[in-house]
Amino acid sequence: MSESKTRLGVSAYAICVFILSLGSNGIRNLVGWPGFLGLAAALVVWGVVIFVRERPERFRWYRLPAPLYWFLGVAILSIIWSQYRAESVLGVLGQLATTLLAVVIAFVLSWHEVLRTLGTALRYLIGLSLVFELFVAVFVQRPVFQNFIEVPESGKVSKLLYWSRDLLFAGGPIQGLVASSVLLGFIALLGVIIFGIQLRAGLVRPVRGWFWLVLSFGTILLTRGATVWVALAAVGVGLALALWARRLGPERRVPLYITGGAVLAVAIGLVLFARDFVFGLLGKSGDLTGRVETWQKVIDLAEQRPWFGWGWISYWAPWAEPFASLDEKAGIQVMSAHNAWLDVWLQLGIVGLLAFAPLIVLTTWRVWFRAVDQPRRGYGPPLTYATSALWPFLVIIALLVQSLTESRLIIEGNWLLLVLLAVKSRFDFQLPSLEAEPTQLPWRRVPITHDTGAIGVQR
């Protein structure tokens, strides 16, 4: 196999992984759980084959972040004390498989390749979601239910079972291929970050860049989600702080950190004491669509086994206790705590939180300094900042904000992105310099670089 074809295969693999993990709901609706698990298994095998053939020179097991080992270790051990052992085994296997996919991408692809393949996957997910909603609105002209279930004679079906509610021409909320306005809104938010970075860095043609950026903003508007607007605002604040840090330099950032801490304190205060007002401005209730009630039930359950939790499961199993009788919304069993931190506490206890929190903190720390510190090559003069160095930090902000109202950070696409950034920021110190920005080459012309963590970057 030639080098160009090998690189094309690697990029295609990464795109497939991102589409499967971020668009998992839609794929399950198309092919069912057996088909989805088959595709996931195929990607795991494909990833192992690619990893063996590429043989990344910088790969060492000890270069993976220690907190990642801690968290996965606690999850595996939780099978011993789990109250739903079979489900825990499945949950752990899914977690390990997703982690493996992230590790393969982190070591085989360069930072720029990750940015490019993630952008391509997001274009497919956003574009096909809008085409799907347009097809429903023009040709079907009625709501479509997940897995094409039939409407009962009573006509009463929970809104949570809709794949599309046929609301495109009504201004939304649309749900797209992923069958959820919340998930589609978050995918669109990732699109705003990635497409904006690519456009500003000159990594895509202006017309193409603006088209997808506007389409992503339009998708956010059509999903009509409050959380995604809060996350978008947080990303904007994070971007402003990062650009300010670049101007100040490492020796004069104390005012910036004080300002950032004050902004964070104000945000926490608004959420705790003025939630009704803040979300009222966004047209949402202060109880966050019943999430506050769910959180209280999760807290009550977690307090029964506070240190080690009930056992890892990731997605809740609605047929197993204590989940079967824990909470119900619109006639459907709730499938998560709608808060990643509460879910970790529920499943792995305080011990799990003590492993999970360092993974978040250290990853955020590393991508922050990658974004704001001026790159240097040895003892030479500093190099020019690169716009593309900002995207990992902005994506982490989006992931963390969503983790407060959704549990996606610990499953599927969001877990994959978290592990990918955690691993890559731990070992890959490729200079994020404007001098190293790649040219706009098609994948078939991109040369292979076995050592993705090299200091020098081939243009």
Side-chain angles (χ1 to χ4, degrees):
M1 181 178 289
S2 70
E3 288 189 349
S4 61
K5 289 183 179 179
T6 301
R7 212 61 200 161
L8 181 62
V10 167
S11 65
Y13 170 75
I15 292 168
C16 290
V17 169
F18 286 131
I19 290 176
L20 184 80
S21 59
L22 292 170
S24 55
N25 280 17
I27 294 174
R28 283 193 289 268
N29 281 334
L30 288 172
V31 300
W33 269 104
F36 174 79
L37 293 176
L39 290 173
L43 284 179
V44 170
V45 174
W46 187 6
V48 171
V49 171
I50 288 177
F51 197 83
V52 171
R53 298 183 71 168
E54 291 286 308
R55 296 189 299 278
E57 295 178 4
R58 296 184 65 84
F59 176 75
R60 301 291 187 277
W61 286 111
Y62 59 79
R63 283 185 172 147
L64 300 183
L68 180 61
Y69 284 121
W70 303 343
F71 180 78
L72 293 176
V74 175
I76 294 170
L77 289 176
S78 73
I79 296 174
I80 299 173
W81 63 80
S82 173
Q83 302 300 295
Y84 29 82
R85 191 160 296 167
E87 289 80 1
S88 285
V89 171
L90 294 177
V92 167
L93 288 176
Q95 206 75 25
L96 293 175
T98 308
T99 302
L100 174 64
L101 296 177
V103 170
V104 170
I105 292 176
F107 277 95
V108 172
L109 272 69
S110 69
W111 279 106
H112 289 302
E113 290 171 332
V114 173
L115 174 65
R116 188 173 182 180
T117 52
L118 178 57
T120 300
L122 292 173
R123 289 185 183 93
Y124 277 116
L125 290 171
I126 294 171
L128 290 176
S129 289
L130 293 177
V131 169
F132 168 69
E133 290 286 353
L134 183 62
F135 176 83
V136 171
V138 174
F139 297 102
V140 181
Q141 298 183 350
R142 60 178 174 81
V144 177
F145 297 97
Q146 297 186 43
N147 295 317
F148 305 101
I149 65 172
E150 296 294 331
V151 181
E153 294 181 0
S154 64
K156 295 181 179 179
V157 178
S158 171
K159 292 181 179 180
L160 297 177
L161 294 178
Y162 284 117
W163 192 354
S164 169
R165 296 169 61 187
D166 186 23
L167 295 175
L168 178 63
F169 294 152
I174 64 171
Q175 301 178 175
L177 283 179
V178 293
S180 168
S181 58
V182 173
L183 298 184
L184 181 60
F186 184 75
I187 289 172
L189 172 59
L190 291 179
V192 169
I193 296 171
I194 299 303
F195 304 149
I197 292 294
Q198 289 181 322
L199 180 63
R200 182 64 182 84
L203 301 178
V204 294
R205 298 184 184 280
V207 173
R208 185 188 184 199
W210 279 111
F211 174 79
W212 286 105
L213 187 59
V214 170
L215 210 62
S216 297
F217 270 114
T219 303
I220 291 177
L221 287 171
L222 289 170
T223 56
R224 296 170 60 177
T227 304
V228 71
W229 286 109
V230 174
L232 181 60
V235 168
V237 172
L239 176 60
L241 291 175
L243 295 178
W244 186 16
R246 286 185 171 190
R247 291 178 62 88
L248 292 176
E251 297 84 11
R252 297 182 294 132
R253 289 178 184 162
V254 173
L256 178 143
Y257 292 127
I258 294 175
T259 302
V263 170
L264 182 60
V266 170
I268 293 174
L270 289 173
V271 171
L272 292 177
F273 304 110
R275 186 171 60 240
D276 292 340
F277 172 74
V278 173
F279 284 93
L281 295 176
L282 298 172
K284 301 294 182 181
S285 62
D287 71 342
L288 300 175
T289 320
R291 282 173 171 78
V292 174
E293 179 184 357
T294 299
W295 294 342
Q296 187 56 57
K297 292 180 179 180
V298 170
I299 291 172
D300 293 341
L301 186 61
E303 287 177 340
Q304 297 179 27
R305 302 170 66 93
W307 286 99
F308 295 96
W310 292 77
W312 185 252
I313 195 172
S314 64
Y315 273 122
W316 291 1
W319 59 85
E321 291 292 350
F323 307 112
S325 56
L326 180 58
D327 196 15
E328 184 178 290
K329 290 289 184 293
I332 301 295
Q333 294 291 140
V334 174
M335 295 292 289
S336 73
H338 289 293
N339 181 293
W341 302 87
L342 286 180
D343 240 329
V344 172
W345 183 30
L346 173 68
Q347 299 179 39
L348 298 180
I350 295 174
V351 172
L353 283 174
L354 292 176
F356 184 65
L359 179 65
I360 299 295
V361 172
L362 291 176
T363 302
T364 304
W365 178 271
R366 292 185 182 114
V367 297
W368 162 256
F369 284 108
R370 178 178 175 82
V372 302
D373 280 353
Q374 197 160 7
R376 292 178 179 272
R377 183 175 286 112
Y379 294 100
L383 305 176
T384 309
Y385 278 116
T387 302
S388 60
L390 293 166
W391 76 265
F393 175 61
L394 301 181
V395 168
I396 280 291
I397 292 177
L399 291 172
L400 291 181
V401 173
Q402 196 202 36
S403 74
L404 301 178
T405 57
E406 298 292 334
S407 297
R408 303 292 299 186
L409 185 61
I410 58 175
I411 57 176
E412 296 185 336
N414 289 23
W415 174 254
L416 181 126
L417 288 175
L418 173 61
V419 175
L420 170 60
L421 295 179
V423 171
K424 201 154 187 64
S425 64
R426 170 68 177 79
F427 83 92
D428 191 340
F429 305 109
Q430 180 189 56
L431 288 178
S433 169
L434 183 63
E435 298 177 7
E437 295 283 13
T439 55
Q440 299 175 26
L441 291 177
W443 282 113
R444 63 181 180 274
R445 293 176 55 196
V446 176
I448 268 202
T449 53
H450 289 292
D451 187 357
T452 60
I455 294 298
V457 181
Q458 187 172 1
R459 289 182 64 85

